[in-house]
Structures are given as structure tokens and as C-alpha cells.
Amino acid sequence: MPRKLRELIQDLTAAGFQILSGGGKGSHRKFVHKNYSGAVTLSGKEGEDVKHYQEKQVKKAIEAIKQ
């Protein structure tokens, strides 16, 4: 069973990422972290299944701030 977008959002916030206010257009959300250059952008409604590239991007971002 694929993960839901809300789970990726929880992973990012647990790792210390914060959502930018007005973070994106429509269903897009932008997350930033002081130790991560750039931003992680997630699109879709919270109950939707995540796409493979979204899960990979979140995993890579969380690993980058742990180093």
C-alpha cells in the first residue's frame, strides 16, 4: 500500500522542516530547513498517494540535514 502525502509532510516536520507561508500555488507546499539549501516542494492533496519521486526527494532532504 503506497504512503500518503500527509505521511511525507509529517516526516518533514518531524525532521525540523517548516512550511513557507503562502508556500505554493494551489496544492503545492514548500518546505525549508536552515541546514538544507533550497526547498522541498510537495504537490497534491494530503490523502493522495505519493509519487515515487516525491518520496525520494523527501528521503534525500532528510538525510542531507542529518549529515
Side-chain angles (χ1 to χ4, degrees):
M1 184 170 184
R3 295 180 70 196
K4 300 293 181 186
L5 189 61
R6 74 175 64 88
E7 296 175 76
L8 291 187
I9 293 170
Q10 289 171 351
D11 291 348
L12 285 171
T13 54
F17 281 82
Q18 296 178 343
I19 192 166
L20 286 177
S21 60
K25 200 172 186 183
S27 64
H28 289 71
R29 297 164 196 85
K30 243 182 186 175
F31 293 86
V32 294
H33 192 281
K34 63 180 180 176
N35 297 331
Y36 184 73
S37 61
V40 178
T41 303
L42 296 177
S43 63
K45 296 181 182 175
E46 289 188 8
E48 291 181 357
D49 294 342
V50 297
K51 295 171 179 59
H52 178 68
Y53 70 87
Q54 290 173 318
E55 193 153 10
K56 189 175 178 180
Q57 181 185 24
V58 169
K59 183 179 177 183
K60 186 177 177 181
I62 291 173
E63 288 175 359
I65 63 164
K66 289 184 178 180
Q67 291 181 356

